[in-house]
Amino acid sequence: MREATSEPSARSALPFRSAVVPAAGLGTRFLPTTKTVPKELLPVVDTPGIELVAAEAAEAGAELLLIVTSPGKDAVAAHFADSSELEKELQTRGKDALVAKVRRAHELIAVRTVTQDEPKGLGHAVGCARDAIGDDEQAFAVLLPDDLVLPTGVLTKMAEVREQHGGSVLCAFDVPREQIAAYGVFEVSDTGDDDVKRVHGMVEKPAPEEAPSTLAAAGRYLLDRAIFDALDRIAPGAGGELQLTDAVALLISEGHPVHVVVHRGGRHDLGNPGGYARAFVDFALEDPDYGPDLRAWLAARLNG
Ligand code: UTP
């Protein structure tokens, strides 16, 4: 893993420096694989989902990826470690393209891990990153590694919204009303920009006729550091889990500005086998090596 640099002059120009990636969940929807393989390392074609998310964070200007892991999930951080032995071996064999692939994760961004001892919820996982985030960092990003938001770039837009409105900024997708019951849904008002809404509340998995909007939450957050204090003040919910959305709701109730950027692109949920299968096929179809053959096979399979 690369070490983080901390040049004060470089810092101040950035909307955020740290990107927290919670990866300490149990991954029960992927059992039995997740008995031993962290779901964050499952490949999308040939690249683990967490590397795709790390690349997105780096592209948005993050300098440090703070991976929240659990005891026993060391392989997640190991993916970003120095791999010079393997690189040397590949070089000896003249496999330069593979050397570049292997090196990419290590070179993308500096990585640090923090441990969440027990899976006490997403809010708790984010709280575990508190001491690793500098006192001078007023905001930080959170990227859920099982959520691919495509094309990348929404974090940059979210940073612009924070510049303009302050507070915290979340990410939403406009989903068909009949599918809304699967999501956390925002209650919003207009800001004058169609792609930016002020958030007044959130409802988890509402019935379509009761949903306050068709804007569903996605796994990207730009959070003001006030979230840490809010996380200290909320009560655990079902299963003793601390919910990040409860802390955001507390901030909203206290007048903290929260906005959403409505992302008009695609999304893949890597957290369940069905969503993962779609993502894999989607990426593989675009792959110059595997795409043409897969396309022909799929067409035959679907017509067969
Ligand atoms: P999910 O609920 O999608 O992940 O949490 P999970 O709990 O691992 O999966 P299932 O539901 O059992 O199949 C969203 C993200 O938050 C992390 C997860 O690793 C995932 O990336 N998370 C969740 C934590 O880091 N800690 C937790 O206590 C809970």
Side-chain angles (χ1 to χ4, degrees):
M1 272 169 269
R2 282 207 288 120
E3 290 302 312
T5 53
S6 54
E7 282 297 311
S9 54
R11 277 180 195 176
S12 51
L14 290 168
F16 58 90
R17 194 162 89 231
S18 300
V20 176
V21 177
L26 293 175
T28 55
R29 287 166 294 169
F30 262 110
L31 285 169
T33 296
T34 42
K35 281 165 70 182
T36 52
V37 181
K39 71 173 174 183
E40 295 78 14
L41 292 181
L42 296 179
V44 180
V45 186
D46 56 8
T47 305
I50 197 162
E51 184 176 322
L52 301 176
V53 166
E56 179 188 343
E59 181 194 307
E63 293 178 349
L64 177 65
L65 201 70
L66 275 170
I67 304 178
V68 184
T69 53
S70 55
K73 275 180 106 176
D74 300 341
V76 176
H79 180 70
F80 293 90
D82 174 74
S83 52
S84 40
E85 285 304 311
L86 175 58
E87 288 168 30
K88 250 185 259 161
E89 182 61 35
L90 291 168
Q91 256 152 6
T92 315
R93 298 178 184 198
K95 308 265 187 203
D96 292 344
L98 286 183
V99 172
K101 275 190 177 185
V102 165
R103 194 175 277 168
R104 180 170 177 257
H106 178 61
E107 289 187 337
L108 268 177
I109 188 167
V111 170
R112 264 184 74 183
T113 56
V114 291
T115 306
Q116 184 188 28
D117 287 324
E118 285 177 77
K120 291 193 205 151
L122 178 58
H124 182 260
V126 170
C128 291
R130 183 182 202 147
D131 290 342
I133 289 177
D135 291 342
D136 60 330
E137 294 183 70
Q138 293 312 311
F140 61 97
V142 175
L143 296 89
L144 301 192
D146 49 11
D147 203 350
L148 294 185
V149 178
L150 303 163
T152 56
V154 75
L155 284 169
T156 304
K157 172 79 179 167
M158 290 163 68
E160 287 164 15
V161 171
R162 180 174 146 92
E163 278 288 306
Q164 194 182 348
H165 297 284
S168 298
V169 185
L170 314 184
C171 176
F173 278 79
D174 203 356
V175 301
R177 191 168 277 274
E178 61 274 17
Q179 293 170 19
I180 204 77
Y183 298 98
V185 180
F186 294 110
E187 187 190 333
V188 295
S189 61
D190 289 337
T191 62
D193 177 339
D194 260 1
D195 294 343
V196 181
K197 309 280 180 191
R198 172 104 188 207
V199 181
H200 301 285
M202 253 188 105
V203 187
E204 272 307 318
K205 304 188 166 89
E209 61 282 7
E210 282 162 17
S213 75
T214 54
L215 297 179
R220 300 291 178 272
Y221 307 76
L222 181 55
L223 297 172
D224 190 279
R225 65 177 304 126
I227 197 76
F228 292 126
D229 175 57
L231 283 166
D232 285 343
R233 292 185 288 128
I234 57 167
E241 294 199 348
L242 270 193
Q243 299 301 342
L244 186 59
T245 49
D246 287 348
V248 173
L250 177 61
L251 289 178
I252 292 172
S253 74
E254 294 172 346
H256 178 89
V258 176
H259 290 79
V260 279
V261 168
V262 183
H263 183 64
R264 307 288 180 188
R267 179 193 188 187
H268 285 301
D269 179 2
L270 301 179
N272 70 85
Y276 173 77
R278 278 192 199 189
F280 197 109
V281 170
D282 193 24
F283 275 63
L285 284 171
E286 299 303 320
D287 189 283
D289 291 333
Y290 308 116
D293 190 46
L294 177 64
R295 192 174 298 273
W297 180 83
L298 272 178
R301 174 73 173 78
L302 293 174
N303 289 325

